[in-house]
């Protein structure tokens, strides 16, 4: 956007549009232009964050939960990340390990988790009662598994991580973490 004074006129140039305004316009029009410039700067990310923008960010469903201890997880049981750094709109429940969408939209979910030294870890991300992405770690030392998924959710849809059951897993698996918070689960609404 460019504002160029031309003698007694102001030229306002927006992508694809040009407006010429006589400089003798009222102060209301000047105020309108100032507001327009402020809005465009915010949209482009060059303006200062003001209270209204801050409140909108707090209204976006978002969470990051983490483990700060080794969790033993039996087959087909939901992993409960016991602490949160962010939990806008309280969508993630540390008691159940489930994120419940407070509004419909497109959401991004990711998780990082670490197996115990030399142990197998087999987990899946679930959307309501449907299994989505899976992660399988096996081998010597600690291994790291991840999820990175974008899903369309309705209000009330549930997202969680469950320990894989059946012949591919053991009776109980262990997700490693400690005070360094190696295992995390995050999600947020994109649009």
């Amino acid at each position: 956007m460019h504002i160029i004074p031309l003698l007694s006129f102001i030229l306002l140039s927006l992508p694809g549009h040009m407006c010429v305004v006589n400089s003798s316009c009222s102060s209301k029009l000047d105020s309108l232009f100032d507001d327009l410039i402020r809005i465009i700067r915010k949209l482009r990310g060059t303006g200062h964050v003001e209270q209204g923008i801050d409140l909108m960010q707090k209204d976006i469903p978002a969470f990051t939960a983490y483990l700060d201890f080794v969790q033993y997880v039996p087959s087909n049981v939901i992993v409960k990340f016991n602490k949160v750094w962010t939990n806008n709109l309280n969508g993630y429940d540390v008691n159940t390990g489930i994120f419940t969408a407070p509004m419909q939209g497109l959401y991004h979910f990711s998780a990082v988790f670490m197996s115990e030294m030399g142990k197998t870890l087999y987990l899946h991300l679930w959307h309501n009662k449907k299994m989505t992405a899976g992660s399988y770690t096996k081998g010597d030392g600690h291994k790291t598994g991840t999820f990175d998924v974008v899903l369309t959710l309705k209000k009330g849809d549930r997202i969680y991580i469950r320990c894989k059951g059946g012949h591919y897993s053991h009776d109980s698996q262990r997700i490693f973490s400690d005070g360094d918070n190696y295992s995390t689960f995050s999600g947020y609404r994109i649009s």
Side-chain angles (χ1 to χ4, degrees), residues 80-127:
K80 297 176 186 171
F81 294 82
N82 64 312
K83 304 270 178 121
V84 294
W85 282 307
T86 301
N87 198 7
N88 290 3
L89 303 180
N90 297 312
Y92 182 78
D93 185 342
V94 294
N95 297 311
T96 64
I98 297 171
F99 170 76
T100 304
M103 61 182 65
Q104 71 177 26
L106 189 64
Y107 286 77
H108 175 256
F109 295 96
S110 61
V112 176
F113 41 86
M114 186 177 284
S115 68
E116 262 202 332
M117 181 81 65
K119 302 290 183 179
T120 298
L121 184 57
Y122 197 11
L123 302 171
H124 275 98
L125 184 74
W126 287 73
H127 175 194

Side-chain angles (χ1 to χ4, degrees), residues 37-50 53:
I37 290 166
R38 220 177 356 265
I39 290 168
I40 291 171
R41 282 186 180 153
K42 285 179 188 175
L43 290 172
R44 288 190 172 174
T46 60
H48 298 286
V49 176
E50 295 180 8
I53 300 296

Side-chain angles (χ1 to χ4, degrees), residues 65-73 79-82 111-123 137 141-145 172-185:
Y66 64 97
L67 281 173
D68 63 355
F69 66 95
V70 174
Q71 187 176 110
Y72 297 89
V73 186
V79 178
K80 297 176 186 171
F81 294 82
N82 64 312
V112 176
F113 41 86
M114 186 177 284
S115 68
E116 262 202 332
M117 181 81 65
K119 302 290 183 179
T120 298
L121 184 57
Y122 197 11
L123 302 171
T137 59
H142 293 283
K143 300 295 178 195
T144 303
S172 182
Q173 298 178 58
R174 295 177 204 150
I175 300 173
F176 181 78
S177 201
D178 59 17
D180 289 325
N181 311 316
Y182 294 113
S183 297
T184 63
F185 179 30

